[in-house]
Amino acid sequence: MRKKIIAGNWKMNKTVSEAQNLADAIKRDLDSEAKVDVVLCPPFTAISAVSQAVSGTQIAVGAQNMHFEASGAYTGEISAEMLREQYCRYVILGHSERRQYFGETDESVNQKTKAALAAGLKPIVCVGETLEEREADKYQDVIRTQINGGLAGLSEADFKNLVVAYEPVWAIGTGKTASPEQAQEVHAFIRSLLVELSSQAIADTVRIQYGGSMKPANAAELLSKPDIDGGLIGGAALDAPSFIGIVKAAIEA
Ligand code: 13P
């Protein structure tokens, strides 16, 4: 049985004080919940405050990106070690917004994934097709390329610390959710790709999150599917009651 994992990707939202308020509100309701892994991923500037707010609870903190080098002349970038120092345990890598707006490629996702794992962070590696790719029935090819490129060269131990997020680009922030059946089909496909890269036994331990307009109203049905092991939540993670509603759906799933 894979433990479900619900992560909030706050994207470029929340000042430090707003982030603190949101983390406090989530903590108040979820403090003692250990049945599901809960991760908050604020912007870099609020990581320290959110880490402090949730310290001593089961809630973990993650970042939304990092650089693959340990240090050096990379203006504007943040290393894995810097995230660890702020008590991050997870890092989202290869989000479609990073691919679309910031030139992220499968190669850089692979470098970052390896660097994160080497530094003791758990990467949440995002994959997903655009609407055009889905309509042209190319989504499996796109996802195969992203998985094989992003996860190339990982060891068995690495796979045990990996989380994959399937986020169809057409469902992000659009209010359009993949149907539970559509999502399950892709999640099972992703798991079959993980089997090719590792083994059935290892692939069975990797958690695959769904992301794209997940909310309390649709979470339970998505999370009831056998290969949907959690959610990567954008908009609904910015509001404590709706994020908590999704976590509660995961606890009951
Ligand atoms: P929404 O939940 O706002 O669709 O965003 C999903 C997402 O991109 C999470 O990383």
Side-chain angles (χ1 to χ4, degrees):
M1 261 301 275
R2 293 176 293 268
K3 190 175 184 185
K4 295 247 186 314
I5 175 166
I6 303 294
N9 174 10
W10 296 1
K11 308 193 181 184
M12 196 174 72
N13 295 291
K14 306 292 177 189
T15 61
V16 170
S17 58
E18 289 167 350
Q20 218 153 15
N21 289 341
L22 179 54
D24 282 340
I26 291 169
K27 175 177 75 171
R28 266 197 298 279
D29 235 338
L30 294 178
D31 203 356
S32 57
E33 300 288 1
K35 284 192 191 143
V36 165
D37 284 334
V38 176
V39 187
L40 307 182
C41 303
F44 289 131
T45 48
I47 286 175
S48 173
V50 171
S51 286
Q52 275 179 38
V54 301
S55 89
T57 74
Q58 301 283 341
I59 301 170
V61 179
Q64 301 171 19
N65 180 35
M66 54 168 255
H67 197 272
F68 49 83
E69 291 289 354
S71 63
Y74 301 101
T75 301
E77 292 292 326
I78 303 271
S79 73
E81 187 54 33
M82 293 169 186
L83 298 178
R84 292 271 300 171
E85 190 185 30
Q86 304 292 329
Y87 304 101
C88 278
R89 285 165 45 200
Y90 291 84
V91 60
I92 299 169
L93 296 174
H95 192 280
S96 62
E97 288 150 17
R98 301 245 22 119
R99 294 176 190 261
Q100 185 180 351
Y101 306 130
F102 303 103
E104 195 84 80
T105 63
D106 292 330
E107 192 184 5
S108 61
V109 172
N110 186 238
Q111 286 172 298
K112 292 177 179 195
T113 301
K114 288 175 174 163
L117 288 161
L121 288 168
K122 293 182 195 294
I124 299 176
V125 175
C126 304
V127 298
E129 79 285 0
T130 62
L131 182 59
E132 201 182 9
E133 290 160 346
R134 174 155 285 264
E135 284 176 346
D137 211 19
K138 286 190 191 145
Y139 61 98
Q140 290 201 344
D141 292 340
V142 170
I143 289 163
R144 180 185 285 109
T145 302
Q146 290 173 338
I147 289 282
N148 288 347
L151 305 181
L154 264 53
S155 70
E156 283 196 5
D158 289 340
F159 278 100
K160 291 185 178 157
N161 288 311
L162 174 75
V163 178
V164 175
Y166 169 55
E167 297 208 312
V169 178
W170 48 272
I172 296 177
T174 58
K176 278 190 202 163
T177 322
S179 70
E181 292 70 29
Q182 276 174 322
Q184 166 58 27
E185 189 236 333
V186 177
H187 282 233
F189 175 65
I190 291 172
R191 201 173 305 286
S192 75
L193 298 172
L194 298 177
V195 172
E196 288 170 19
L197 291 173
S198 59
S199 66
Q200 184 73 53
I202 301 237
D204 281 343
T205 68
V206 178
R207 290 169 306 170
I208 306 174
Q209 296 175 309
Y210 169 79
S213 299
M214 204 187 222
K215 40 187 178 283
N218 59 27
E221 212 188 337
L222 285 158
L223 293 167
S224 71
K225 295 292 176 191
D227 289 289
I228 302 183
D229 307 312
L232 183 55
I233 322 299
L238 298 174
D239 169 68
S242 60
F243 185 70
I244 289 161
I246 296 170
V247 175
K248 297 213 158 139
I251 289 168
E252 279 155 29

